[in-house]
Amino acid sequence: MCLAIPMRVISVDGNLGRVEASGALLTVALDLVEGVQPGDYLLVHAGFAIARMDADEAQENLDIIKRLTESPEP
Amino acid sequence: MTSPREQIERYLRRLADWRGDELTFMEVCGTHTVSAARSGLHSLLPRSIRLISGPGCPVCVTPVSYVDHALALSKLPEVTIVTFGDLVRVPGSSANGPEKAPPSLAWAKARGADVKVVYSPLDALELARELKDRQVVFLSVGFETTTPVIAAALQQAIDSGIENFSLLTANKTIIQPLLALGTSSEIKIHGFLCPGHVSVVIGSNAYRSLAEIHGIPCAIAGFEPLEMVRAIVALTEQVSQNHPRVDNCYRAAVRPEGNSKALEVMFKLFEPCDSVWRGIGEISDSGLKLRAEYRKYDAAQRFKVELPPVLEPLGCRCGDVLRGVISPSRCGLFGKSCTPDSPKGACMVSSEGSCAAYYQFRQEDGK
């Protein structure tokens, strides 16, 4: 239930952000984070960004997910 | 660069070097439960290191009386119940009564109650905006990951003057049950794999008293198997060095102080209260309720309903599972009269419940 997904910010309009991950687009509320800029990575839970993620680490996180998804089953 | 699999193998080799007593670590997050079960993590760990699941699935620890309350509200003609998906299939009390079908919210919906499933509390707010002649009651369950989100949605309702919106609250906090379990004589827990996304909000400092005062190792973990194994290595190191501390193994998102803005809105609207955990009982200050000045948005205050006496499903051992005392397959109902298609207890209902995860991924008992 506490699932949250890193998503990249495309644009910001007031307290709403347009975000993207793996081609999926979503509008999320930015009430719980500060100073969000396009290009930032946000952790998204139940329609809200709950944290800004360090871009390098977020990318590493997404890379791990991608590689694990692509790697053949043992 | 080494691949994640090579990294996992390297960490597992380090764990295999552990020569001390058998260690039991507990994860306290439904997402960890699912990730560990899906990846077969339990079977990869050496025999001397056991990973068990604790009360980390909010739906599983929500008492039956709460489901009864939601069911009673759903009978009011003016009420629309709005909820996250996991809760709709949890049976209420009279499952043991004369009715053969267990009365869940899904059952009530099939019989005409107005129950809607949403992804975000903002969807519930949107419904309240649209359905002006309805009373929209949002089922407010969850840990500190979710409660700020619900608080922010309620704040939006207040700011927009939306009056036909209220919350039935059973929100919970994570530190108090960890303390209760970590100091229990029932089971020896050598360390906690702390929930990543709760920690995003409460911060790694929130666990310091557990580690520094009560001597229980803590490691905050992300959700990939690699991240969980890394945290298990951190816990094992803390034990071997006899140095309990809080290792933050999810630095991409977790800061020492947490998310101050989320904490601010949560504590503006909510305050701590004693709370009943299914299978564990009442734990002091382990819940969150609306503050007195926001009590008019509390559905329990707004609507007075009669509640049936609380009846737990006969033979269900969700409580023992949630405390880590037994593995799901030790329950007499598991896989027999209790399956994901026809669940008796909450741990089989929620996809993040230990029983559902064990059932789906066929874990061996005892590991």
Side-chain angles (χ1 to χ4, degrees):
Chain A
M1 188 168 163
C2 293
L3 195 63
I5 295 170
M7 300 188 84
R8 193 173 56 87
V9 179
I10 295 168
S11 60
V12 176
D13 181 13
N15 79 328
L16 294 175
R18 192 79 178 143
V19 294
E20 181 271 337
S22 306
L25 286 165
L26 201 65
T27 300
V28 297
L30 303 177
D31 304 34
L32 304 177
V33 285
E34 278 175 303
V36 175
Q37 303 284 334
D40 286 351
Y41 280 88
L42 300 175
L43 205 50
V44 174
H45 170 70
F48 283 80
I50 56 165
R52 280 216 329 251
M53 292 184 86
D54 177 276
D56 291 341
E57 298 205 50
Q59 191 54 55
E60 186 190 354
N61 213 282
L62 288 169
D63 286 346
I64 289 173
I65 293 172
K66 191 156 177 272
R67 277 195 309 236
L68 286 174
T69 318
E70 287 171 352
S71 62
E73 289 297 313
Chain B
M1 192 179 165
T2 39
S3 73
R5 181 172 303 169
E6 285 164 339
Q7 291 181 60
I8 288 178
E9 284 168 355
R10 203 176 64 213
Y11 284 128
L12 288 171
R13 279 197 297 275
R14 280 173 69 180
L15 290 175
D17 288 340
W18 172 248
R19 293 286 175 266
D21 294 340
E22 182 179 288
L23 299 179
T24 299
F25 298 133
M26 179 180 268
E27 45 84 359
V28 204
C29 171
T31 315
H32 281 157
T33 307
V34 173
S35 181
R38 182 181 289 149
S39 61
L41 181 56
H42 301 81
S43 61
L44 294 174
L45 295 174
R47 284 219 151 268
S48 55
I49 296 179
R50 207 161 67 106
L51 180 65
I52 61 172
S53 297
C57 154
V59 170
C60 303
V61 297
T62 299
V64 176
S65 58
Y66 180 85
V67 179
D68 291 342
H69 204 151
L71 279 165
L73 291 176
S74 78
K75 289 181 185 155
L76 299 177
E78 71 273 31
V79 166
T80 297
I81 299 283
V82 185
T83 176
F84 294 124
D86 274 7
L87 211 53
V88 291
R89 291 177 63 234
V90 182
S93 269
S94 46
N96 292 332
E99 295 261 18
K100 281 191 177 164
S104 60
L105 286 163
W107 177 91
K109 182 180 170 71
R111 280 151 189 82
D114 192 6
V115 178
K116 297 189 194 309
V117 172
V118 293
Y119 157 68
S120 166
L122 290 178
D123 301 330
L125 197 55
E126 200 49 45
L127 279 167
R129 267 197 197 97
E130 284 170 18
L131 309 172
K132 291 192 171 40
D133 56 340
R134 305 287 299 163
Q135 282 288 337
V136 171
V137 177
F138 184 72
L139 301 187
S140 175
V141 298
F143 293 118
E144 291 100 326
T145 319
T146 311
T147 309
V149 163
I150 297 171
L154 178 56
Q155 186 64 57
Q156 286 193 18
I158 295 166
D159 294 344
S160 323
I162 296 173
E163 295 290 332
N164 61 329
F165 181 75
S166 58
L167 306 177
L168 186 65
T169 63
N171 299 78
K172 297 204 178 328
T173 53
I174 203 75
I175 297 294
Q176 295 80 5
L178 294 193
L179 185 56
L181 289 166
T183 55
S184 155
S185 56
E186 192 172 39
I187 179 169
K188 174 68 185 168
I189 295 167
H190 297 90
F192 286 114
L193 208 66
C194 303
H197 292 145
V198 166
S199 306
V200 164
V201 173
I202 67 176
S204 56
N205 285 343
Y207 302 94
R208 284 182 60 185
S209 64
L210 272 173
E212 293 168 12
I213 298 173
H214 300 282
I216 309 164
C218 293
I220 299 167
F223 299 95
E224 293 307 320
L226 171 59
E227 297 174 299
M228 291 181 68
V229 172
R230 196 184 318 175
I232 292 169
V233 170
L235 289 175
T236 309
E237 276 178 3
Q238 291 187 43
V239 174
S240 72
Q241 294 162 0
N242 195 20
H243 181 208
R245 57 184 181 268
V246 183
D247 283 328
N248 181 359
C249 305
Y250 193 35
R251 285 176 190 273
V254 176
R255 323 247 177 279
E257 68 285 1
N259 179 340
S260 55
K261 210 170 171 188
L263 289 168
E264 191 182 307
V265 67
M266 181 167 87
F267 285 116
K268 180 184 171 203
L269 276 72
F270 287 86
E271 63 183 343
C273 63
D274 298 345
S275 181
V276 174
W277 292 62
R278 191 172 189 173
I280 298 177
E282 186 169 286
I283 303 176
S284 297
D285 286 338
S286 68
L288 290 168
K289 64 175 183 182
L290 285 169
R291 289 185 182 276
E293 55 267 47
Y294 301 105
R295 207 68 47 85
K296 71 171 182 167
Y297 296 98
D298 183 350
Q301 303 288 328
R302 189 176 289 193
F303 310 101
K304 292 294 173 196
V305 285
E306 293 255 343
L307 298 178
V310 174
L311 279 176
E312 292 282 345
L314 289 172
C316 171
R317 296 188 68 187
C318 274
D320 293 332
V321 171
L322 288 167
R323 297 196 309 282
V325 177
I326 64 164
S327 71
S329 59
R330 294 268 169 89
C331 172
L333 307 184
F334 179 82
K336 299 183 183 96
S337 62
C338 185
T339 63
D341 284 340
S342 176
K344 290 276 188 289
C347 299
M348 187 62 93
V349 176
S350 170
S351 58
E352 293 190 344
S354 305
C355 297
Y358 269 64
Y359 187 89
Q360 190 176 354
F361 299 103
R362 300 271 165 192
Q363 303 231 358
E364 283 178 24
D365 194 13
K367 275 291 290 178

